Amino acid sequence: MQVNLHDAKTHLSRYVNQALAGEEVVIARAGKPLVRLVPLMGEPPPRRLGFLAGTARVEADLKRDFAAEINAMFELDEVPRPQGP
């Protein structure tokens, strides 16, 4: 449903109720749609942290299993030596 701005100001509560009932209400000026009345969703439920705690188990020893790759990342071809006078 599209209504003009003047009519929307006059009957705003009616259009809000229609939007809450699921009907699309568009407010227009000079036949050009401006805004759409839509109901707001309720507050999202609070996030529950740690809800998966205790449900997974890691069997890998990452330090042991990837020791070669980790060491390779920190090895240099030449060790820089400080320059002195």
Side-chain angles (χ1 to χ4, degrees):
M1 153 190 309
Q2 182 169 307
V3 297
N4 67 44
L5 187 58
H6 177 74
D7 191 44
K9 287 192 282 186
T10 305
H11 304 288
L12 181 61
S13 61
R14 176 191 315 164
Y15 297 129
V16 167
N17 286 335
Q18 289 176 339
L20 289 172
E23 186 174 341
E24 181 176 298
V25 179
V26 176
I27 300 174
R29 181 187 305 143
K32 182 179 176 187
L34 298 175
V35 296
R36 179 182 306 137
L37 290 178
V38 295
L40 293 177
M41 302 303 287
E43 289 284 324
R47 294 179 62 182
R48 210 179 64 171
L49 300 177
F51 68 97
L52 291 175
T55 60
R57 190 168 152 173
V58 177
E59 298 288 336
D61 181 351
L62 298 177
K63 191 172 182 180
R64 184 194 70 221
D65 295 344
F66 296 100
E69 289 88 350
I70 293 170
N71 291 335
M73 286 190 281
F74 294 100
E75 288 179 3
L76 298 174
D77 291 337
E78 292 184 21
V79 177
R81 303 207 184 262
Q83 298 291 327

